[in-house]
Amino acid sequence: MVESAPVFGMSPPWLLVDGVPLADALVLSHPEQIDRLRAACPEAAPTAVLAGDPCFDRILAARPYRERFRRALGVRPDQRLVVLNSTWNPESLFGDGGDDVLPTLLPRLTSEFPVDEYRFAAILHPNIWHGHGPGQIRAWLDRARRGGLMLIDPLAGWRQALLAADAVIGDHGSVTYYAAALGTPVLLGATPLDCLDPDAPISAFMRLAPRLDPGAALRAQIDTLVACHRPLPGPAEFTTSVPGEAAARLRTLFYALMDAPEPEWKASLAPLPLPACESVTPTVPLRVVTRMLASGEISVSRWAGPAPVTIADAELHVAVHEDTRDVDQLDLADVIFRYGAADDPRFGSPAVWTAEVLQRYAGCSLAAYVTGPGEAVVRTRGGGLLRMVTERDGGPDPAVAASALHALLSAGRPVAEVADDGLWVRVGDGSSRRVRVAPLAAT
């Protein structure tokens, strides 16, 4: 008979020293864990204390602030945030002991998803950062980061990113299970069932949750995952049996262990802080697909990889961030843009910067200096300086509006006519949301 592997965290090698429990108290979050502890290591069962999950309690308490967390990450209302999560062993999503999914996944994030409709963020276990070093991690993910991938702080920011997510691609780590417990759609990119206790709830979840098909189109899988999502009951049920009670139960336990009187005031957990704004702007050259619709709208989709131009009346141009590392592409860009404060002395002013760009790059037709979430100053070649103001609440990135303006002018519309009428922009070919971008007033 083959002997089963020790249960991680619940078997004698983890809990006993010379046959005696190592800890005075073993904190567990659900009675099912106590049942498994009795089966795996009965000697340690008397030390078990049901005290809930303080980490999950903090996440639950922060749910009302989801939109703030999304704004801090630079996620616009009409964008879908997909979080990639990996625990730290070789069979994880980021590991090299399984199917090595993530390295093949990352380039496809830029080639299969338009940058203005989807955002991606990676939450990597702290042991990955410490094991390989921050420099190596950033080097491995450099191309993906320049394509728009956000790297989330593995200690301070991951809970907020999880709350902000619309979908998670993960593995057998606790962050993925927390996402499922929140009811967030989860797609499993790594499923090493042999690493898990077969009786643990996470094993049941891993057997039932939808799995990523690396050979199939990614966008279709994400869209189907979200549209057809039905939360599995296990994660929400088994993450904690006493939601919201961890602070009180743990404090009572700690003071009892110290044989000290417990304070009179209510025990509480620190609320999750609002992260600093960490929006990541793609700096790789963007292929921009535009279409003039019968409704008078301009449809715009921007791609950090090859653009799928499959519609006969679509036009293609190149838009490049001035800070790109692909500097040779600036000479080929139709639109050059950057983001910054209007009074940043390093650029003189938006008027000075746009004039310099058009003088320096002869092939550039339009320069756009984005001064805020809904504003940009643009200069067209021969058309003067214009101020673009989009709807602040739910409007597109002003750099998208700049590409829409370029497409309209390239189709023969005079600048003066556009300035009088404004323009309507549709982000993505399939989106039904229309955003007014008007008027364009000369300055």
Side-chain angles (χ1 to χ4, degrees), residues 4-15 32-33 36-37 39-41 194-200 202-203:
S4 60
V7 177
F8 181 85
M10 280 198 177
S11 55
W14 293 90
L15 302 176
E32 72 82 20
Q33 297 170 2
R36 287 192 291 121
L37 176 64
C41 186
D194 55 341
C195 295
L196 304 172
D197 177 0
D199 296 323
I202 191 171
S203 292

Coordinates of all heavy atoms in Angstrom, one line a residue, residues 4-15 32-33 36-37 39-41 194-200 202-203:
S4 N 0.3 7.8 1.8 CA -0.1 9.1 1.3 C 0.9 10.2 1.8 O 1.5 10.0 2.9 CB -1.5 9.5 1.8 OG -1.6 9.5 3.2
A5 N 1.1 11.2 1.0 CA 2.0 12.3 1.4 C 1.5 13.0 2.6 O 0.3 13.1 2.8 CB 2.2 13.3 0.2
P6 N 2.4 13.6 3.5 CA 1.9 14.4 4.6 C 1.1 15.5 4.2 O 1.3 16.2 3.2 CB 3.2 14.8 5.3 CG 4.3 13.9 4.8 CD 3.8 13.5 3.4
V7 N 0.0 15.8 5.0 CA -0.9 16.9 4.7 C -0.1 18.2 5.0 O 0.3 18.4 6.2 CB -2.2 16.8 5.5 CG1 -3.1 18.0 5.2 CG2 -2.9 15.5 5.1
F8 N -0.1 19.1 4.1 CA 0.7 20.4 4.3 C 0.1 21.1 5.5 O -1.1 21.4 5.5 CB 0.6 21.3 3.0 CG 1.3 22.6 3.1 CD1 2.7 22.6 2.9 CD2 0.7 23.7 3.5 CE1 3.3 23.8 3.0 CE2 1.3 24.9 3.6 CZ 2.7 25.0 3.3
G9 N 0.9 21.4 6.5 CA 0.5 22.2 7.6 C -0.3 21.5 8.7 O -0.6 22.0 9.7
M10 N -0.7 20.2 8.4 CA -1.6 19.5 9.3 C -1.1 18.1 9.7 O -1.8 17.3 10.3 CB -3.0 19.4 8.8 CG -3.8 20.7 8.9 SD -5.6 20.3 8.7 CE -6.3 21.9 9.0
S11 N 0.1 17.8 9.4 CA 0.6 16.5 9.7 C 1.7 16.6 10.7 O 2.3 17.6 11.0 CB 1.2 15.8 8.4 OG 2.1 16.7 7.8
P12 N 2.1 15.4 11.4 CA 3.1 15.4 12.5 C 4.4 16.2 12.1 O 4.9 16.9 13.0 CB 3.3 14.0 12.7 CG 2.0 13.3 12.4 CD 1.5 14.1 11.2
P13 N 5.0 16.0 10.9 CA 6.2 16.8 10.7 C 6.1 18.3 10.9 O 7.1 19.0 11.2 CB 6.6 16.4 9.3 CG 5.9 15.1 9.0 CD 4.6 15.2 9.8
W14 N 4.9 18.8 10.6 CA 4.7 20.2 10.7 C 4.3 20.7 12.2 O 4.6 21.8 12.6 CB 3.5 20.7 9.8 CG 3.8 20.5 8.4 CD1 3.6 19.5 7.6 CD2 4.4 21.5 7.5 NE1 4.0 19.7 6.3 CE2 4.5 21.0 6.2 CE3 4.9 22.8 7.7 CZ2 5.1 21.7 5.2 CZ3 5.4 23.5 6.7 CH2 5.5 22.9 5.4
L15 N 3.7 19.8 12.9 CA 3.0 20.2 14.2 C 3.6 19.6 15.4 O 3.4 20.2 16.5 CB 1.5 19.8 14.1 CG 0.7 20.4 13.0 CD1 -0.7 19.8 13.0 CD2 0.7 21.9 13.0
E32 N -14.3 22.2 9.5 CA -13.8 21.1 8.7 C -12.3 20.9 8.8 O -11.8 19.8 8.7 CB -14.2 21.3 7.2 CG -13.5 22.3 6.5 CD -12.2 21.9 5.9 OE1 -11.9 20.7 5.8 OE2 -11.4 22.8 5.6
Q33 N -11.6 22.0 9.1 CA -10.2 21.9 9.3 C -9.8 21.1 10.6 O -8.9 20.4 10.7 CB -9.5 23.3 9.3 CG -9.7 24.0 8.0 CD -9.3 25.5 8.1 OE1 -8.8 26.0 9.2 NE2 -9.4 26.2 7.0
R36 N -10.2 17.5 9.9 CA -9.0 17.0 9.1 C -7.8 16.9 10.0 O -7.0 16.0 9.9 CB -8.7 17.8 7.9 CG -9.8 17.6 6.8 CD -9.3 18.2 5.5 NE -9.3 19.6 5.5 CZ -8.3 20.4 5.2 NH1 -7.1 19.8 5.0 NH2 -8.3 21.7 5.2
L37 N -7.7 17.8 10.9 CA -6.5 17.8 11.9 C -6.6 16.6 12.8 O -5.6 15.9 13.0 CB -6.6 19.1 12.7 CG -5.5 19.2 13.8 CD1 -4.1 19.2 13.2 CD2 -5.7 20.4 14.7
A39 N -7.9 13.8 12.0 CA -7.5 12.6 11.2 C -6.0 12.5 10.9 O -5.4 11.5 10.9 CB -8.3 12.6 9.9
A40 N -5.4 13.7 10.6 CA -4.0 13.8 10.2 C -3.0 13.8 11.3 O -1.9 13.2 11.2 CB -3.8 15.0 9.3
C41 N -3.4 14.4 12.4 CA -2.5 14.5 13.6 C -3.3 14.7 14.9 O -3.4 15.8 15.4 CB -1.5 15.7 13.4 SG -0.2 15.9 14.6
D194 N -2.1 16.7 -7.0 CA -1.3 15.8 -6.2 C -0.6 16.5 -5.1 O 0.0 15.9 -4.1 CB -0.3 15.0 -7.0 CG 0.6 15.9 -7.9 OD1 0.2 17.1 -8.1 OD2 1.6 15.4 -8.3
C195 N -0.6 17.9 -5.1 CA 0.1 18.7 -4.1 C -0.9 19.0 -2.9 O -0.5 19.6 -1.9 CB 0.5 20.0 -4.7 SG 1.8 19.9 -5.9
L196 N -2.1 18.6 -3.1 CA -3.1 19.0 -2.1 C -3.7 17.8 -1.3 O -3.7 16.7 -1.8 CB -4.3 19.7 -2.8 CG -3.9 20.9 -3.7 CD1 -5.1 21.4 -4.5 CD2 -3.3 22.1 -2.8
D197 N -4.2 18.1 -0.1 CA -5.0 17.1 0.6 C -6.2 16.8 -0.1 O -7.1 17.7 -0.4 CB -5.3 17.7 2.0 CG -6.1 16.8 2.9 OD1 -6.4 15.7 2.4 OD2 -6.4 17.2 4.0
P198 N -6.5 15.6 -0.5 CA -7.7 15.3 -1.3 C -9.0 15.5 -0.6 O -10.0 15.7 -1.2 CB -7.5 13.8 -1.7 CG -6.5 13.3 -0.6 CD -5.6 14.4 -0.3
D199 N -8.9 15.6 0.7 CA -10.1 15.9 1.5 C -10.4 17.4 1.8 O -11.4 17.7 2.3 CB -10.1 15.1 2.8 CG -10.0 13.6 2.6 OD1 -10.7 13.1 1.7 OD2 -9.3 12.9 3.4
A200 N -9.4 18.2 1.4 CA -9.5 19.6 1.6 C -10.5 20.3 0.7 O -10.6 19.9 -0.5 CB -8.2 20.3 1.5
I202 N -10.3 23.0 -1.0 CA -9.6 23.5 -2.1 C -9.4 22.4 -3.2 O -9.5 22.7 -4.4 CB -8.3 24.2 -1.8 CG1 -7.8 25.0 -3.0 CG2 -7.2 23.2 -1.4 CD1 -6.6 25.9 -2.7
S203 N -9.3 21.2 -2.8 CA -9.2 20.1 -3.8 C -10.5 19.9 -4.6 O -10.5 19.8 -5.8 CB -8.8 18.8 -3.1 OG -7.5 18.8 -2.6

